[in-house]
């Protein structure tokens, strides 16, 4: 693992989304543990990740922003799922080439996602607004 995002839900349970780049498995890794954070459950994530971030929409639902590696090229993607999985609901944002490192802000009526992408020739910062 080389990049990680750590968050806590409302019950104090810790979640980690890890990017993996070494070895055969290059998909992400999803971990969770209750306090005192000594016993972990780890699950293979279904996507290869780049610069992952996530936020809780509620205690059981997360939105994950990351670079998605596709055969036709990289895209900035949002993945929705239950903390227990599966993570299969994928939305691709306008992006391509070198893209990633989102920041996610949850508001009562919308979700804001900032990220960078080079699909228009140079690396620029973009903002996506998604209704809740």
């Amino acid at each position: 693992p080389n990049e990680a995002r750590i968050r806590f839900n409302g019950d104090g349970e810790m979640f980690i989304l890890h990017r993996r780049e070494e070895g055969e498995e290059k998909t992400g890794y999803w971990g969770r543990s209750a306090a005192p954070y000594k016993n972990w459950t780890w699950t293979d994530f279904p996507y290869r990740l780049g610069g992952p971030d996530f936020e809780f929409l509620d205690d059981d639902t997360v939105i994950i922003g990351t670079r998605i590696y596709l055969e036709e090229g990289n895209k900035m993607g949002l993945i929705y799922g239950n903390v227990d999985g599966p993570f299969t609901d994928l939305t691709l944002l306008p992006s391509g080439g070198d893209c990633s490192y989102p920041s996610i802000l949850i508001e009562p009526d919308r979700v804001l996602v900032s990220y960078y992408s080079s699909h228009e020739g140079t690396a620029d910062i973009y903002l996506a607004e998604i209704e809740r």
Side-chain angles (χ1 to χ4, degrees):
N2 61 5
E3 292 177 336
R5 172 58 71 199
I6 301 169
R7 301 267 187 228
F8 295 85
N9 71 4
D11 295 330
E13 190 173 10
M14 183 189 296
F15 292 81
I16 300 176
L17 183 60
H18 259 294
R19 174 184 182 178
R20 294 190 291 183
E21 289 294 315
E22 298 295 326
E24 289 183 30
E25 295 296 324
K26 293 192 188 243
T27 57
Y29 219 34
W30 179 250
R32 68 189 295 178
S33 179
Y37 315 114
K38 293 182 179 184
N39 297 311
W40 286 85
T41 301
W42 291 97
T43 306
D44 285 325
F45 198 75
Y47 297 97
R48 183 176 175 194
L49 306 172
D53 191 13
F54 72 96
E55 287 287 349
F56 288 91
L57 293 170
D58 57 46
D59 279 348
D60 296 317
T61 310
V62 294
I63 180 173
I64 296 164
T66 185
R67 177 188 310 122
I68 301 291
Y69 296 82
L70 303 171
E71 286 185 24
E72 60 272 17
N74 300 337
K75 292 285 188 181
M76 181 62 214
L78 299 176
I79 304 162
Y80 304 88
N82 184 283
V83 294
D84 297 321
F87 297 97
T88 56
D89 190 5
L90 172 65
T91 300
L92 297 177
L93 299 177
S95 57
D98 188 15
C99 58
S100 190
Y101 295 100
S103 288
I104 302 168
L105 177 64
I106 308 296
E107 294 186 338
D109 59 343
R110 66 185 181 166
V111 176
L112 297 173
V113 181
S114 66
Y115 61 99
Y116 82 91
S117 177
S118 62
H119 68 287
E120 294 183 319
T122 61
D124 292 312
I125 304 294
Y126 295 87
L127 179 66
E129 180 179 1
I130 300 126
E131 290 184 28
R132 284 190 71 180

